[in-house]
Each structure stands twice: as structure tokens, then as C-alpha cells.
Amino acid sequence: LEYHIKDVFIPVILGKLHVSEQLRKIFALPARMGGLSIANICQTAELEYGNSTLAMEDLSNAIYNQDSAFKFDESNQNKVITQVKKNRQTFYDQYKNDLEKEISPLVQQQLELLSEKGASSWLTSLPLKEYGFLLNKLEFQDAISLRYNLTLSSLNRPRLCVCGEPSTINHCLTCKLGGYISLRHDSLKGTIAKLLEQVCKDTVVEPSLIPITTEQLQRGTDVSDGSRLDVCTRGFWTPLDRAFTDIRVLHPQAQSNANTSLFQMYRRHENEKKSKYNDRVLQVEKATFTPLVFSTTGGMGNEASRFLKHLAVKLSNKSGQSYSDTV
């Protein structure tokens, strides 16, 4: 069965002729840890047998003792569920630690990126067309290639970027002429604005900032006329007050981010946005400013995480859905 999973099933869904042993090991990890949750049953059989035995212990005892009626103990089953989750987490923590000893630093960095909270949400979400989660075969294969920095399919795709360079993944995600930088930024901007419209008032996309006259602002602040931010809304953090946001999507494997930790990447880009706009928004607009920094692998900075959590709370309160379902 594992042979068919590795040499038949996975190549079909990836559109590849061959899957290396290293990739197979990575794909066996849970999605939240950078994998695809396609477990290697040869390695997990003993673990899952133990979990199954633990889960069925009460029923097995009832059958063995020939009880006339089986009484379901919900509190005990909740303890069993917790223990099963703990067993799996322990197993995959050790599995990932062993795997990281075999892979290169570049692949380790990729796994770290894919293990960020939210980076794998699209893999575990329902394929709802309304939210853009319904992918055709080629789109899914490309999404997996982007996730693991693999070679993209050449079907209906030019080999060269408009700038003349080969259309590799890293180049496409950093080239300012190829169009992908604008597409990903505008897509996020539109999505955030649409969500804000559901819970706030006076949501405006690309609002112009009030011109500077005699105000004395901190050094490095953008004081040019016609400056715009991505989204402005009213009543987000506090009633009636305005909140401005500006979005940036960074590519962690760009040359400018080399030898920089994830935390440092996000902090640097957030600080760049703040030094440019924060003082002007506070002093002139009398509003708040939040830089929303995301990565091409699906992660986000602390400011964006705090912003989206607060947005999820407001959406949850309005729709009546639970917070977890809203997120």
C-alpha cells in the first residue's frame, strides 16, 4: 500500500513522475508542521494501533465481561481523545526532529515557514468557491509546487519572465515587472476591505491622507501630498475612531531576507511601515495605524495576527458563529 501511495498516488496529485524519499518523508508530516498529512502507514501502524486499543478499551471490557448494557463514559472518552492527540504530537515531534537531521538548511527553513500558524490553512479548509478555495488540477499542483519550492509545470506558462529572466518560483515572487507582486497585494487588500465592510462603517480602499501643512513629524515620515494607505475604516478598535492599514507581502527566500530569522523579517517590515506612516496617521489623521505584513508562504507578522484575531472576533459576534469557525 505504501508503494502505491508513494509511486502512484502522490505523483498523480502532484503532476510529477517521481517523488524523492525526502519529499515523501516531508509529506508524511501533518499539514500544520509543513507536510501534507499523507501518513506513511508503515511508520504509524504501531502508534495508531495503540491509539485504537486505547479508544476502544471501555467497549472491549464491556464485551469481555458480557455486560448486558454498555454505558458510555463521556468524561473518560474526552481523556482518551486528549491522550491520543498527545501521542500523535509526541510521535510527529520526534519524527520531525529526526527528519531535520537529514535535510539541508534550505529545506529546514522551508519547513519552518510552512509550520507558521495559518500557512497551511488552505490545505485543511473546505474547497469553497466563494472564498477562492476551489482549485482545479493545475492550480492545486502549482500550489503544492509553490509550497515546497518545486519546479512549476510548463503547461500554458512562458519559460521567461517579461524582464527576460527564467520564470523560477523565487524570481516570479520577487520580480516587480512580472505582475505577481501587485496581484498578491491587491488580492489581500480587497479581501480585508470586504471583511471590514461587514463589521465596520465607512470602509474606504486607498484613502488619500490629509495634506501636511505646518505639522512637525518624526524623521522618515512620508509627508508627500497625495499619499495613500491601503484601507481605512471606522469603528474597528474603538467605536467611531478611524483605523488605517497598509499591506506588505514579503518573500522569505528573497535575497534581501537572507540570513534573517522569521521574527526579524516581520519586525523589520512592520517597522519600515510604521516609520513611514505611523506618526502622520496619529498626529494628522488622529487615527490608528496597523501595518499588515504577510509572507508568500502564508505566515504573518504579530501586528497582522493581532489585527485579524480582532477582526475574527467582530465577525463572530455579528454572524453568531463560533470564533474557531470564523477563523
Side-chain angles (χ1 to χ4, degrees):
L1 181 58
E2 170 56 25
Y3 166 79
H4 283 281
I5 291 174
K6 177 182 180 297
D7 294 338
V8 180
F9 174 69
I10 295 179
V12 167
I13 65 172
L14 297 187
K16 310 289 183 186
L17 296 176
H18 174 71
V19 175
S20 67
E21 287 294 335
Q22 184 181 99
L23 267 181
R24 176 64 188 102
K25 291 179 179 179
I26 292 173
F27 292 166
L29 287 167
R32 69 180 184 279
M33 299 177 76
L36 291 180
S37 297
I38 306 176
N40 185 332
I41 56 175
C42 297
Q43 297 173 334
T44 61
E46 185 176 351
L47 168 72
E48 295 303 338
Y49 175 75
N51 289 337
S52 177
T53 301
L54 183 63
M56 301 300 294
E57 185 176 10
D58 286 349
L59 181 59
S60 298
N61 290 336
I63 294 173
Y64 181 81
N65 296 325
Q66 294 292 293
D67 294 340
S68 59
F70 174 67
K71 185 177 180 180
F72 179 73
D73 189 343
E74 185 175 355
S75 63
N76 185 57
Q77 281 300 304
N78 288 334
K79 293 179 182 178
V80 170
I81 292 172
T82 301
Q83 185 61 46
V84 168
K85 290 180 178 178
K86 184 178 179 180
N87 292 344
R88 287 175 178 162
Q89 186 64 45
T90 301
F91 173 85
Y92 281 112
D93 283 342
Q94 184 60 49
Y95 180 90
K96 188 174 182 180
N97 288 335
D98 294 340
L99 179 60
E100 287 177 340
K101 297 175 183 177
E102 305 174 11
I103 57 181
S104 66
L106 186 62
V107 179
Q108 288 183 27
Q109 182 195 36
Q110 190 71 16
L111 272 183
E112 183 186 5
L113 292 168
L114 299 179
S115 300
E116 284 190 273
K117 188 173 182 180
S120 302
S121 297
W122 68 276
L123 276 172
T124 56
S125 300
L126 293 173
L128 301 176
K129 185 176 182 180
E130 179 183 359
Y131 298 103
F133 293 151
L134 183 61
L135 306 179
N136 63 36
K137 179 170 64 175
L138 184 59
E139 288 171 339
F140 180 79
Q141 292 171 354
D142 283 349
I144 297 296
S145 295
L146 288 168
R147 178 175 171 84
Y148 294 105
N149 205 20
L150 305 176
T151 303
L152 291 169
S153 167
S154 59
L155 182 64
N156 299 324
R157 182 179 289 107
R159 295 183 179 274
L160 297 178
C161 177
V162 293
C163 70
E165 295 292 326
S167 291
T168 62
I169 289 178
N170 283 333
H171 178 78
C172 290
L173 294 177
T174 55
C175 180
K176 295 183 179 180
L177 297 178
Y180 292 107
I181 291 179
S182 298
L183 282 172
R184 71 195 186 201
H185 173 272
D186 292 347
S187 176
L188 273 172
K189 178 178 65 178
T191 299
I192 289 172
K194 184 177 179 181
L195 292 173
L196 286 171
E197 286 176 350
Q198 298 180 35
V199 293
C200 298
K201 302 293 184 181
D202 302 332
T203 300
V204 181
V205 176
E206 295 190 0
S208 297
L209 298 181
I210 298 173
I212 302 298
T213 52
T214 60
E215 293 85 359
Q216 298 296 317
L217 302 177
Q218 293 180 3
R219 186 176 181 180
T221 301
D222 182 358
V223 296
S224 59
D225 291 342
S227 292
R228 296 173 179 269
L229 293 177
D230 284 328
V231 183
C232 172
T233 194
R234 190 180 294 276
F236 182 73
W237 297 112
T238 57
L240 302 180
D241 283 348
R242 291 193 303 161
F244 286 82
T245 67
D246 205 56
I247 298 165
R248 176 174 291 179
V249 184
L250 63 89
H251 182 48
Q253 293 170 329
Q255 190 62 39
S256 59
N257 293 320
N259 302 318
T260 307
S261 70
L262 276 176
F263 176 79
Q264 291 173 327
M265 284 184 210
Y266 289 127
R267 177 59 63 87
R268 175 165 60 86
H269 287 281
E270 287 174 345
N271 288 340
E272 286 178 5
K273 288 286 186 184
K274 284 183 174 180
S275 64
K276 192 174 183 180
Y277 297 113
N278 193 57
D279 198 42
R280 180 169 180 174
V281 171
L282 289 175
Q283 302 300 329
V284 181
E285 300 288 342
K286 304 301 181 184
T288 62
F289 174 70
T290 305
L292 305 182
V293 180
F294 302 91
S295 72
T296 55
T297 51
M300 66 187 77
N302 288 334
E303 297 273 1
S305 177
R306 188 167 67 95
F307 183 91
L308 293 182
K309 285 179 181 178
H310 188 68
L311 177 57
V313 169
K314 295 178 77 68
L315 288 168
S316 174
N317 292 338
K318 182 170 183 178
S319 66
Q321 288 184 314
S322 66
Y323 174 80
S324 58
D325 288 340
T326 303
V327 171

